[in-house]
Amino acid sequence: MGKSANELLTQEQFNAVCSTVQTDNPDVSEDDAAVIVAEALAFIATCVLFPAARLVPSRVVDAGWRALILHTQTYAELCARLGGFVHHRPEEPEPSRYDQDVIDRTTALIEEAGYSVDLDLWGPPDGDLVSVAAKCQHSDASGPIVPIPKPKG
């Protein structure tokens, strides 16, 4: 069992971000919102830990990340504690850009960072078990995830 990404925020912060996920996605249950936010937190922490890896979230995990970003102070404080700011550059969904190998690499590094992965939230954009409103898909290694500071070398 991996470490809990929920602990990256206070309970009050975590609950507020979960509430935003539910506000943006009325069909998402409270339990699913909590899992989505936890996956987004683990993703952000992993991006900072492996800045050269060019990781990408699934569409569902991106919904949790977007909710987190809306809590700007919480997000900035989280990134500061983790040691790097992870910028989000959304892209419109494009089925030809979906790359399961990149998703697999991302989830493997999340596990290497010590977090458990809920693979149900990391499927292809058209096969999500949890439906979210976000219409954002991130691409492969040339994609939009940019950790700051940039890796040296």
Side-chain angles (χ1 to χ4, degrees):
M1 181 135 221
K3 56 189 171 183
S4 174
N6 301 16
E7 295 172 2
L8 294 171
L9 301 179
T10 67
Q11 191 62 54
E12 181 180 354
Q13 291 170 326
F14 186 81
N15 291 343
V17 177
C18 289
S19 179
T20 299
V21 169
Q22 287 189 277
T23 298
D24 292 346
N25 303 281
D27 293 334
V28 171
S29 71
E30 188 174 323
D31 288 343
D32 284 343
V35 174
I36 290 169
V37 172
E39 292 291 308
L41 288 166
F43 170 75
I44 295 301
T46 303
C47 285
V48 173
L49 189 60
F50 300 102
R54 306 295 294 184
L55 306 177
V56 299
S58 67
R59 195 167 70 88
V60 175
V61 174
D62 186 70
W65 187 13
R66 287 169 170 255
L68 180 59
I69 290 169
L70 289 176
H71 296 262
T72 58
Q73 184 172 349
T74 297
Y75 186 66
E77 290 170 356
L78 169 69
C79 288
R81 279 193 311 278
L82 293 172
F85 194 89
V86 183
H87 289 278
H88 181 276
R89 294 186 184 144
E91 295 178 322
E92 289 294 317
E94 171 56 51
S96 67
R97 279 197 321 261
Y98 177 75
D99 187 339
Q100 186 63 47
D101 290 338
V102 176
I103 293 292
D104 292 344
R105 183 183 72 226
T106 298
T107 56
L109 285 174
I110 290 171
E111 289 178 336
E112 187 175 326
Y115 299 99
S116 296
V117 173
D118 185 334
L119 292 175
D120 288 344
L121 301 184
W122 290 91
D126 58 355
D128 294 327
L129 294 179
V130 177
S131 179
V132 293
K135 299 293 184 223
C136 186
Q137 171 188 326
H138 296 283
S139 59
D140 60 16
S142 64
I145 309 308
V146 182
I148 302 296
K150 291 185 179 183
K152 294 179 170 96

